[in-house]
Coordinates of all heavy atoms in Angstrom, one line a residue:
K1189 N 127.3 -46.8 -145.0 CA 127.4 -48.1 -145.6 C 126.2 -48.6 -146.4 O 126.3 -49.4 -147.3 CB 127.8 -49.2 -144.5 CG 129.2 -49.0 -144.0 CD 129.9 -50.3 -144.0 CE 131.4 -50.1 -143.8 NZ 131.9 -50.4 -142.5
H1190 N 125.0 -48.1 -145.9 CA 123.8 -48.7 -146.5 C 122.8 -47.5 -146.8 O 121.7 -47.6 -146.2 CB 123.2 -49.7 -145.6 CG 124.1 -50.9 -145.3 ND1 124.3 -51.9 -146.2 CD2 124.9 -51.1 -144.3 CE1 125.2 -52.7 -145.7 NE2 125.5 -52.3 -144.5
S1191 N 123.2 -46.5 -147.5 CA 122.4 -45.3 -147.6 C 121.0 -45.5 -148.1 O 120.1 -44.8 -147.7 CB 123.1 -44.3 -148.5 OG 123.4 -44.9 -149.8
D1192 N 120.8 -46.5 -149.0 CA 119.4 -46.7 -149.5 C 118.5 -47.4 -148.6 O 117.3 -47.4 -148.7 CB 119.5 -47.5 -150.8 CG 120.2 -46.7 -151.9 OD1 120.3 -45.5 -151.8 OD2 120.6 -47.4 -152.9
D1193 N 119.1 -48.1 -147.6 CA 118.3 -49.0 -146.7 C 118.1 -48.4 -145.3 O 117.4 -49.1 -144.5 CB 119.0 -50.3 -146.6 CG 119.3 -51.0 -147.9 OD1 118.5 -50.8 -148.8 OD2 120.4 -51.6 -148.1
V1194 N 118.6 -47.2 -145.0 CA 118.5 -46.7 -143.7 C 117.7 -45.4 -143.7 O 118.2 -44.4 -144.4 CB 119.9 -46.5 -143.0 CG1 119.8 -45.9 -141.7 CG2 120.6 -47.9 -143.0
T1195 N 116.7 -45.3 -143.0 CA 115.9 -44.0 -142.8 C 116.1 -43.5 -141.4 O 115.9 -44.3 -140.4 CB 114.4 -44.3 -143.1 OG1 114.2 -44.9 -144.4 CG2 113.6 -43.0 -143.0
L1196 N 116.5 -42.3 -141.3 CA 116.8 -41.7 -140.0 C 115.8 -40.6 -139.7 O 115.7 -39.6 -140.3 CB 118.2 -41.1 -139.9 CG 118.7 -40.5 -138.6 CD1 118.4 -41.4 -137.4 CD2 120.2 -40.1 -138.7
I1197 N 114.9 -40.9 -138.7 CA 113.9 -40.0 -138.3 C 114.3 -39.5 -136.9 O 114.6 -40.3 -136.0 CB 112.5 -40.7 -138.1 CG1 112.1 -41.4 -139.4 CG2 111.4 -39.7 -137.7 CD1 111.0 -42.5 -139.2
T1198 N 114.2 -38.2 -136.6 CA 114.5 -37.7 -135.3 C 113.4 -36.8 -134.8 O 112.8 -36.0 -135.6 CB 115.9 -37.0 -135.2 OG1 116.2 -36.7 -133.8 CG2 116.0 -35.7 -136.0
Q1199 N 113.2 -36.9 -133.5 CA 112.3 -35.9 -132.8 C 113.1 -34.7 -132.4 O 112.5 -33.7 -131.9 CB 111.6 -36.5 -131.6 CG 110.8 -37.7 -131.9 CD 110.4 -38.5 -130.7 OE1 109.4 -38.2 -130.0 NE2 111.2 -39.5 -130.3
N1200 N 114.4 -34.8 -132.5 CA 115.3 -33.7 -132.0 C 115.3 -32.5 -133.0 O 115.4 -32.7 -134.2 CB 116.7 -34.3 -131.8 CG 116.7 -35.4 -130.7 OD1 115.7 -35.5 -130.0 ND2 117.7 -36.1 -130.7
I1201 N 115.4 -31.4 -132.4 CA 115.5 -30.1 -133.2 C 117.0 -29.7 -133.3 O 117.2 -28.7 -134.0 CB 114.6 -29.0 -132.6 CG1 115.0 -28.7 -131.2 CG2 113.1 -29.5 -132.7 CD1 114.3 -27.5 -130.6
D1202 N 117.9 -30.4 -132.7 CA 119.3 -30.0 -132.9 C 119.8 -30.6 -134.2 O 119.1 -31.3 -134.9 CB 120.1 -30.6 -131.7 CG 120.1 -32.1 -131.6 OD1 120.5 -32.8 -132.6 OD2 119.8 -32.7 -130.5
D1203 N 121.1 -30.2 -134.5 CA 121.6 -30.7 -135.8 C 122.8 -31.6 -135.6 O 123.7 -31.7 -136.4 CB 122.1 -29.4 -136.6 CG 123.3 -28.7 -136.0 OD1 123.4 -28.9 -134.7 OD2 124.0 -28.0 -136.6
L1204 N 122.7 -32.4 -134.5 CA 123.9 -33.2 -134.1 C 124.0 -34.5 -135.0 O 125.1 -35.0 -135.2 CB 123.8 -33.6 -132.6 CG 124.0 -32.4 -131.7 CD1 124.0 -32.8 -130.3 CD2 125.3 -31.6 -132.0
H1205 N 122.9 -35.0 -135.6 CA 123.0 -36.1 -136.5 C 123.8 -35.6 -137.7 O 124.6 -36.3 -138.2 CB 121.6 -36.6 -137.0 CG 120.9 -37.5 -136.0 ND1 121.5 -38.6 -135.5 CD2 119.7 -37.4 -135.4 CE1 120.7 -39.2 -134.6 NE2 119.6 -38.5 -134.5
E1206 N 123.4 -34.4 -138.2 CA 124.1 -33.9 -139.4 C 125.6 -33.7 -139.1 O 126.5 -34.0 -139.9 CB 123.5 -32.6 -139.9 CG 122.1 -32.7 -140.5 CD 120.9 -32.8 -139.6 OE1 121.2 -32.9 -138.3 OE2 119.8 -32.7 -140.1
R1207 N 125.9 -33.1 -137.9 CA 127.3 -32.9 -137.5 C 128.0 -34.2 -137.3 O 129.2 -34.3 -137.5 CB 127.3 -32.1 -136.2 CG 127.0 -30.6 -136.5 CD 127.6 -29.8 -135.3 NE 126.6 -29.1 -134.6 CZ 126.7 -28.5 -133.4 NH1 127.9 -28.6 -132.8 NH2 125.7 -27.9 -132.9
G1208 N 127.3 -35.2 -137.0 CA 127.9 -36.6 -136.8 C 128.1 -37.2 -138.2 O 128.7 -38.3 -138.3
G1209 N 127.6 -36.6 -139.3 CA 127.9 -37.2 -140.6 C 126.7 -37.7 -141.3 O 126.8 -38.3 -142.4
S1210 N 125.5 -37.6 -140.7 CA 124.3 -38.2 -141.3 C 123.7 -37.2 -142.4 O 123.8 -36.0 -142.2 CB 123.2 -38.5 -140.3 OG 123.5 -39.7 -139.6
Q1211 N 123.0 -37.8 -143.3 CA 122.3 -37.0 -144.3 C 120.9 -37.4 -144.4 O 120.5 -38.4 -143.9 CB 123.0 -37.1 -145.7 CG 124.4 -36.5 -145.7 CD 125.0 -36.7 -147.1 OE1 124.7 -37.6 -147.8 NE2 126.0 -35.9 -147.4
N1212 N 120.1 -36.5 -145.0 CA 118.6 -36.8 -145.2 C 117.9 -37.2 -143.9 O 117.2 -38.2 -143.8 CB 118.4 -38.0 -146.2 CG 119.1 -37.7 -147.5 OD1 119.1 -36.6 -148.0 ND2 119.7 -38.7 -148.1
V1213 N 118.2 -36.4 -142.9 CA 117.6 -36.6 -141.6 C 116.2 -36.1 -141.6 O 116.0 -34.9 -142.0 CB 118.4 -36.0 -140.4 CG1 117.8 -36.3 -139.1 CG2 119.9 -36.4 -140.5
L1214 N 115.2 -36.9 -141.2 CA 113.8 -36.4 -141.2 C 113.5 -35.8 -139.8 O 113.3 -36.5 -138.9 CB 112.8 -37.5 -141.5 CG 113.0 -38.2 -142.9 CD1 112.0 -39.4 -143.0 CD2 112.7 -37.2 -144.0
H1215 N 113.6 -34.5 -139.7 CA 113.3 -33.8 -138.4 C 111.8 -33.6 -138.3 O 111.3 -32.5 -138.6 CB 114.0 -32.4 -138.4 CG 115.5 -32.5 -138.2 ND1 116.1 -32.5 -137.0 CD2 116.5 -32.6 -139.1 CE1 117.4 -32.6 -137.1 NE2 117.7 -32.6 -138.3
M1216 N 111.2 -34.6 -137.7 CA 109.7 -34.6 -137.7 C 109.2 -33.5 -136.7 O 108.0 -33.1 -136.9 CB 109.1 -35.9 -137.3 CG 109.5 -36.4 -135.9 SD 108.7 -38.0 -135.5 CE 107.0 -37.6 -135.3
H1217 N 110.0 -33.0 -135.8 CA 109.5 -31.9 -134.9 C 110.2 -30.6 -135.2 O 110.2 -29.6 -134.4 CB 109.8 -32.3 -133.4 CG 108.9 -33.4 -132.9 ND1 109.1 -34.0 -131.7 CD2 107.8 -33.9 -133.5 CE1 108.1 -34.9 -131.5 NE2 107.4 -34.9 -132.6
G1218 N 110.7 -30.4 -136.4 CA 111.3 -29.2 -136.9 C 112.8 -29.0 -136.5 O 113.4 -30.0 -136.1
E1219 N 113.3 -27.8 -136.7 CA 114.8 -27.6 -136.5 C 115.0 -26.3 -135.9 O 114.5 -25.2 -136.3 CB 115.5 -27.6 -137.9 CG 115.4 -29.0 -138.5 CD 115.9 -29.0 -140.0 OE1 117.1 -28.8 -140.2 OE2 115.1 -29.2 -140.9
L1220 N 115.9 -26.3 -134.8 CA 116.2 -25.1 -134.1 C 116.9 -24.0 -134.9 O 116.8 -22.8 -134.6 CB 117.0 -25.5 -132.9 CG 117.3 -24.4 -131.8 CD1 116.1 -23.8 -131.3 CD2 118.1 -25.0 -130.7
L1221 N 117.7 -24.5 -135.9 CA 118.5 -23.5 -136.7 C 117.7 -23.0 -137.9 O 118.3 -22.6 -138.9 CB 119.8 -24.2 -137.1 CG 120.7 -24.6 -135.9 CD1 122.0 -25.2 -136.5 CD2 121.0 -23.5 -135.0
K1222 N 116.4 -23.1 -137.8 CA 115.5 -22.6 -138.9 C 114.4 -21.7 -138.4 O 113.9 -21.9 -137.3 CB 115.0 -23.7 -139.8 CG 116.0 -24.4 -140.6 CD 115.5 -25.4 -141.6 CE 116.7 -25.9 -142.4 NZ 116.4 -27.2 -143.1
A1223 N 113.9 -20.8 -139.2 CA 112.8 -20.0 -138.9 C 111.7 -20.1 -140.0 O 112.1 -20.4 -141.1 CB 113.2 -18.5 -138.7
R1224 N 110.5 -19.9 -139.6 CA 109.4 -20.0 -140.6 C 108.7 -18.7 -140.6 O 108.4 -18.1 -139.6 CB 108.5 -21.2 -140.2 CG 107.5 -21.5 -141.2 CD 106.9 -22.9 -141.0 NE 105.9 -22.9 -139.9 CZ 105.9 -23.7 -138.9 NH1 106.9 -24.6 -138.8 NH2 105.0 -23.7 -138.0
C1225 N 108.3 -18.2 -141.8 CA 107.6 -17.0 -141.9 C 106.1 -17.2 -142.1 O 105.7 -17.9 -143.1 CB 108.2 -16.2 -143.1 SG 107.3 -14.6 -143.4
D1226 N 105.3 -16.7 -141.2 CA 103.9 -16.9 -141.3 C 103.3 -16.1 -142.5 O 102.2 -16.4 -142.9 CB 103.2 -16.6 -140.0 CG 103.2 -17.8 -139.1 OD1 103.4 -18.9 -139.6 OD2 103.1 -17.6 -137.8
A1227 N 104.0 -15.1 -142.9 CA 103.5 -14.2 -144.0 C 103.7 -14.9 -145.4 O 102.7 -15.1 -146.2 CB 104.2 -12.9 -144.1
C1228 N 104.9 -15.4 -145.7 CA 105.1 -16.0 -147.0 C 105.4 -17.5 -146.9 O 105.6 -18.2 -148.0 CB 106.3 -15.3 -147.7 SG 107.9 -15.7 -147.0
R1229 N 105.4 -18.1 -145.7 CA 105.6 -19.6 -145.5 C 107.1 -20.0 -145.8 O 107.3 -21.2 -145.7 CB 104.7 -20.5 -146.4 CG 103.3 -20.1 -146.5 CD 102.6 -19.9 -145.2 NE 102.5 -21.0 -144.3 CZ 102.1 -21.0 -143.0 NH1 101.8 -19.9 -142.5 NH2 102.0 -22.1 -142.3
A1230 N 108.0 -19.1 -146.1 CA 109.4 -19.6 -146.4 C 110.0 -20.1 -145.1 O 109.8 -19.6 -144.0 CB 110.2 -18.4 -147.0
I1231 N 110.9 -21.0 -145.3 CA 111.7 -21.6 -144.2 C 113.1 -21.2 -144.4 O 113.7 -21.4 -145.5 CB 111.6 -23.1 -144.1 CG1 110.1 -23.4 -143.8 CG2 112.5 -23.7 -143.1 CD1 109.8 -24.9 -144.0
S1232 N 113.8 -20.4 -143.5 CA 115.1 -20.0 -143.7 C 116.1 -20.4 -142.6 O 115.6 -20.6 -141.5 CB 115.1 -18.5 -143.9 OG 114.3 -17.8 -143.0
D1233 N 117.3 -20.5 -142.9 CA 118.4 -20.8 -141.9 C 118.6 -19.7 -141.0 O 118.7 -18.5 -141.4 CB 119.7 -21.2 -142.6 CG 119.5 -22.5 -143.4 OD1 118.7 -23.3 -143.1 OD2 120.3 -22.7 -144.4
F1234 N 118.7 -20.0 -139.7 CA 119.0 -18.9 -138.7 C 119.9 -19.5 -137.7 O 119.6 -20.4 -136.9 CB 117.7 -18.5 -138.0 CG 117.2 -17.2 -138.5 CD1 116.3 -17.1 -139.5 CD2 117.6 -16.0 -138.0 CE1 115.8 -16.0 -140.1 CE2 117.2 -14.8 -138.5 CZ 116.2 -14.7 -139.5
R1235 N 121.2 -19.0 -137.6 CA 122.1 -19.4 -136.5 C 122.1 -18.4 -135.4 O 122.6 -18.6 -134.3 CB 123.5 -19.6 -137.1 CG 123.5 -20.7 -138.1 CD 124.9 -21.0 -138.6 NE 125.7 -21.7 -137.6 CZ 125.7 -23.0 -137.4 NH1 124.9 -23.8 -138.1 NH2 126.5 -23.5 -136.5
D1236 N 121.5 -17.2 -135.7 CA 121.6 -16.1 -134.7 C 120.2 -15.9 -134.0 O 119.2 -16.5 -134.5 CB 122.0 -14.8 -135.4 CG 123.4 -14.9 -136.0 OD1 124.2 -15.5 -135.3 OD2 123.5 -14.4 -137.1
D1237 N 120.1 -15.0 -133.1 CA 118.8 -14.7 -132.4 C 117.9 -14.1 -133.5 O 118.3 -13.4 -134.4 CB 119.0 -13.6 -131.4 CG 119.8 -14.1 -130.1 OD1 120.2 -15.3 -130.1 OD2 120.0 -13.3 -129.2
F1238 N 116.6 -14.3 -133.3 CA 115.6 -13.5 -134.0 C 114.3 -13.4 -133.1 O 114.2 -14.1 -132.1 CB 115.2 -14.2 -135.4 CG 114.6 -15.5 -135.3 CD1 113.2 -15.7 -135.2 CD2 115.3 -16.7 -135.4 CE1 112.6 -16.9 -135.2 CE2 114.7 -17.9 -135.3 CZ 113.4 -18.0 -135.2
D1239 N 113.5 -12.4 -133.5 CA 112.3 -12.2 -132.6 C 111.2 -11.6 -133.5 O 111.3 -11.6 -134.7 CB 112.6 -11.3 -131.4 CG 113.2 -10.0 -131.8 OD1 112.9 -9.5 -132.9 OD2 113.9 -9.4 -131.0
G1240 N 110.2 -11.0 -132.9 CA 109.0 -10.5 -133.6 C 109.3 -9.3 -134.4 O 108.5 -8.9 -135.2
Q1241 N 110.5 -8.7 -134.3 CA 110.9 -7.5 -135.1 C 111.8 -7.9 -136.3 O 112.0 -7.1 -137.2 CB 111.6 -6.5 -134.2 CG 110.8 -5.5 -133.5 CD 110.2 -6.2 -132.3 OE1 110.9 -6.8 -131.5 NE2 108.8 -6.1 -132.1
T1242 N 112.2 -9.1 -136.3 CA 113.2 -9.5 -137.4 C 112.5 -9.7 -138.7 O 111.4 -10.2 -138.8 CB 113.9 -10.9 -137.0 OG1 114.3 -10.8 -135.6 CG2 115.0 -11.2 -137.9
N1243 N 113.2 -9.2 -139.8 CA 112.6 -9.3 -141.1 C 112.9 -10.7 -141.7 O 113.9 -11.3 -141.5 CB 113.3 -8.3 -142.0 CG 112.8 -6.9 -141.8 OD1 112.3 -6.6 -140.7 ND2 112.9 -6.0 -142.8
C1244 N 111.9 -11.2 -142.5 CA 112.0 -12.4 -143.2 C 113.0 -12.2 -144.3 O 112.9 -11.2 -145.1 CB 110.7 -12.9 -143.7 SG 110.7 -14.2 -144.9
A1245 N 113.9 -13.1 -144.5 CA 114.9 -13.0 -145.6 C 114.3 -13.1 -147.0 O 114.8 -12.6 -148.0 CB 116.0 -14.0 -145.5
E1246 N 113.1 -13.8 -147.1 CA 112.4 -14.0 -148.4 C 111.5 -12.8 -148.7 O 111.7 -12.2 -149.8 CB 111.6 -15.2 -148.3 CG 112.4 -16.5 -148.3 CD 113.1 -16.8 -149.6 OE1 112.5 -16.5 -150.7 OE2 114.2 -17.2 -149.5
C1247 N 110.6 -12.5 -147.9 CA 109.5 -11.5 -148.2 C 109.8 -10.1 -147.6 O 109.1 -9.2 -147.8 CB 108.1 -12.0 -147.9 SG 107.8 -12.1 -146.1
N1248 N 110.8 -10.1 -146.7 CA 111.2 -8.9 -146.1 C 110.2 -8.3 -145.1 O 110.4 -7.2 -144.5 CB 111.6 -7.8 -147.1 CG 112.7 -6.9 -146.6 OD1 113.5 -7.3 -145.8 ND2 112.6 -5.6 -147.1
S1249 N 109.1 -9.0 -144.8 CA 108.2 -8.4 -143.8 C 108.6 -8.8 -142.4 O 109.2 -9.8 -142.2 CB 106.8 -8.9 -144.1 OG 106.7 -10.3 -144.0
A1250 N 108.3 -7.9 -141.5 CA 108.7 -8.2 -140.1 C 107.5 -8.7 -139.3 O 106.3 -8.4 -139.7 CB 109.2 -6.9 -139.4
G1251 N 107.7 -9.4 -138.3 CA 106.6 -9.8 -137.4 C 106.1 -11.2 -137.7 O 105.3 -11.7 -136.9
G1252 N 106.5 -11.8 -138.8 CA 105.9 -13.2 -139.1 C 106.8 -14.3 -138.8 O 106.4 -15.5 -138.9
L1253 N 108.0 -14.1 -138.3 CA 109.0 -15.2 -138.1 C 108.7 -15.9 -136.8 O 108.5 -15.3 -135.8 CB 110.4 -14.7 -138.1 CG 111.0 -14.3 -139.4 CD1 112.5 -13.9 -139.1 CD2 111.0 -15.4 -140.4
R1254 N 108.7 -17.2 -136.9 CA 108.6 -18.0 -135.6 C 109.6 -19.2 -135.7 O 110.0 -19.5 -136.8 CB 107.2 -18.6 -135.4 CG 106.7 -19.4 -136.5 CD 105.5 -20.3 -136.1 NE 106.0 -21.6 -135.5 CZ 105.2 -22.5 -135.2 NH1 103.9 -22.4 -135.2 NH2 105.6 -23.7 -134.7
P1255 N 110.0 -19.7 -134.6 CA 110.9 -20.9 -134.7 C 110.2 -22.0 -135.5 O 109.0 -22.2 -135.4 CB 111.0 -21.3 -133.2 CG 110.7 -20.1 -132.4 CD 109.7 -19.4 -133.2

Side-chain angles (χ1 to χ4, degrees):
K1189 288 232 163 103
H1190 302 282
S1191 55
D1192 294 341
D1193 305 323
V1194 178
T1195 302
L1196 179 52
I1197 306 163
T1198 188
Q1199 299 168 88
N1200 298 343
I1201 59 173
D1202 65 53
D1203 65 339
L1204 295 181
H1205 281 303
E1206 287 85 351
R1207 283 200 242 167
S1210 283
Q1211 290 179 338
N1212 304 322
V1213 184
L1214 299 175
H1215 283 273
M1216 64 178 289
H1217 289 170
E1219 293 172 70
L1220 186 56
L1221 301 183
K1222 290 188 175 164
R1224 189 161 79 228
C1225 176
D1226 275 341
C1228 73
R1229 317 305 298 168
I1231 295 166
S1232 41
D1233 292 335
F1234 259 92
R1235 298 183 72 80
D1236 299 319
D1237 289 3
F1238 65 88
D1239 58 27
Q1241 274 76 52
T1242 310
N1243 284 24
C1244 167
E1246 287 293 320
C1247 70
N1248 210 29
S1249 62
L1253 286 184
R1254 59 162 272 185

